[in-house]
Amino acid sequence: MAPPPPPRSFSAAEVRARCAQGACLVRRRRRLYDLTAFVRLHPGGERLLRERAGTDVSAALDGPPHRHSANARRWLEQYYVGELEPAAGAQVPRENRAGAPAGLPSTPAAMDPRCRTVDPDKDLVDWRQPLLWQVGYLGEKYDEWVHQPVDRPIRLFHSDFVEALSKTAWYVVFLVWTPVVLYLSWVSYTSLARGDTRLFSSFTTEYSIPVHKYYFPFIFLLGMCLWSLIEYLIHRFVFHMKPPASNYYLITLHFLLHGQHHKSPFDSSRLVFPPVPASLVIGFFYGLLRLLLPEVLGLSLFVGGLCGYVVYDMMHYYLHYGSPKEGTYLYGLKAYHVKHHFEHQKAGFGISTRFWDYPFRTLIPEETFEKED
């Protein structure tokens, strides 16, 4: 195999010119990175990166206010584009003579930018093949591997049809489930309007409580709140379970449910739950509520929860690809969620709200966030 070509050299004038045209190039000593495609995804906000365009970010990576994680440094290497030409008479730093800074692999300049964090000769899986059937063999290496994010698409299945069912665009969730929410809301309200729905009627007729149609908005909101708790519990205890290193099938299941998202957090086709598998989970919760509550009351609670799920999926996509205004609730939530991916995978389980992270003591510490000047 022929050695990769040497990295491209950029003059300081060229870097300034590209930044003036809207690009966001930063450097770490002499190594140059083009973060133009990443600025909107940065958990600390776009402005922080824009203000550092053309400058050395070594001090910012090392802190204060915090030292960036190994994952953040590894992620940065995906955007490596070349070397800054030294000024006349300047000494070349020792760590740059070999290519990458200490502790990070060198990056072949000819490699596809979306694949630069994956060395095909050293990575633990073959990215040219579906990953779902490979990850179970990683054993004790799986947990560390899956929490080292990369910016590249993931293929799970050999079958094109099954692979298509495992992916979906964000708006499909809205188009599929919003009509269902509206229809079931109308059914629930008109059923309550008949006036024959009573709570505890299966235990006692004399002391049962009538449920009027005016209660529907409150039951609906209760269902949304209940969903936020379910969202937290599923994310923490199911999606973030640590499968036994010796169990191929549990590792495979974990990667299918959530590990794939942590490995490639910005794969836009895998940020929301596809309607086909989602319908199975939604059907389970509907059946459970039908068993526990009177039919109309359970339906009213269910439709509120379903609406909460749709909002959750939309927010999850927005927290990865949206650009919320500085100082808003969503701006802080975006930083919080992306921080969960890069540094605090065992905390910050709330997605649509941080509320449940408080009582369960899984809140990401505020001091770990980079503050705007």
Side-chain angles (χ1 to χ4, degrees), residues 54-355:
T55 68
D56 190 332
V57 297
S58 300
L61 287 172
D62 294 333
H66 70 282
R67 180 179 174 83
H68 283 65
S69 66
N71 275 339
R73 296 162 188 268
R74 190 177 294 108
W75 186 269
L76 177 65
E77 290 303 310
Q78 296 174 111
Y79 304 103
Y80 172 73
V81 292
E83 305 285 323
L84 181 67
E85 294 177 356
Q91 293 289 328
V92 178
R94 179 172 300 174
E95 64 270 24
N96 284 308
R97 294 174 186 169
L104 289 171
S106 60
T107 305
M111 192 178 293
D112 186 315
R114 292 174 64 82
C115 306
R116 278 181 176 150
T117 54
V118 178
D119 185 336
D121 297 324
K122 298 179 180 179
D123 198 51
L124 300 177
V125 297
D126 183 356
W127 285 83
R128 296 164 295 185
Q129 301 294 326
L131 297 188
L132 187 61
W133 315 119
Q134 301 182 57
V135 294
Y137 295 111
L138 296 180
E140 61 184 14
K141 298 179 181 179
Y142 170 74
D143 189 64
E144 179 183 4
W145 175 85
V146 82
H147 289 120
Q148 294 178 352
V150 298
D151 184 14
R152 61 177 295 160
I154 283 178
R155 184 178 180 94
L156 294 177
F157 301 97
H158 290 281
S159 167
D160 291 338
F161 176 72
V162 178
E163 178 71 9
L165 292 180
S166 72
K167 301 160 65 174
T168 189
W170 68 269
Y171 54 82
V172 172
V173 173
F174 181 82
L175 293 176
V176 168
W177 295 114
T178 299
V180 178
V181 169
L182 294 175
Y183 173 73
L184 294 181
S185 295
W186 177 79
V187 170
S188 300
Y189 181 80
T190 54
S191 298
L192 290 174
R194 293 200 301 263
D196 56 1
T197 302
R198 305 184 71 88
L199 192 60
F200 307 124
S201 60
S202 59
F203 299 103
T204 173
T205 303
E206 184 177 358
Y207 297 104
S208 61
I209 302 173
V211 182
H212 299 289
K213 62 181 180 181
Y214 306 110
Y215 294 169
F216 174 74
F218 301 101
I219 301 173
F220 186 93
L221 290 175
L222 179 62
M224 292 190 69
C225 293
L226 180 62
W227 164 255
S228 72
L229 174 60
I230 293 173
E231 164 202 323
Y232 174 90
L233 295 175
I234 291 176
H235 190 195
R236 179 179 178 182
F237 295 107
V238 179
F239 290 171
H240 277 273
M241 69 170 182
K242 185 176 180 179
S246 60
N247 196 312
Y248 171 92
Y249 297 102
L250 283 181
I251 292 175
T252 302
L253 178 62
H254 178 269
F255 190 72
L256 176 64
L257 291 177
H258 196 61
Q260 51 160 314
H261 176 51
H262 269 262
K263 190 61 183 176
S264 183
F266 293 104
D267 186 343
S268 60
S269 64
R270 299 189 183 278
L271 289 176
V272 295
F273 205 11
V276 173
S279 63
L280 302 177
V281 179
I282 289 171
F284 167 78
F285 281 111
Y286 174 71
L288 184 63
L289 288 174
R290 283 287 304 272
L291 290 175
L292 298 177
L293 295 170
E295 180 177 355
V296 178
L297 191 60
L299 182 61
S300 301
L301 197 65
F302 168 78
V303 73
L306 181 58
C307 181
Y309 157 71
V310 174
V311 172
Y312 149 81
D313 251 2
M314 298 299 97
M315 286 186 66
H316 186 223
Y317 183 89
Y318 187 75
L319 294 183
H320 282 263
Y321 276 95
S323 298
K325 186 177 179 181
E326 292 182 19
T328 62
Y329 172 75
L330 289 177
Y331 184 84
L333 203 59
K334 176 184 175 73
Y336 187 78
H337 183 61
V338 178
K339 196 78 166 178
H340 163 76
H341 277 282
F342 280 88
E343 191 170 348
H344 291 275
Q345 294 92 354
K346 306 303 181 184
F349 298 107
I351 296 176
S352 58
T353 175
R354 284 187 267 188
F355 176 82

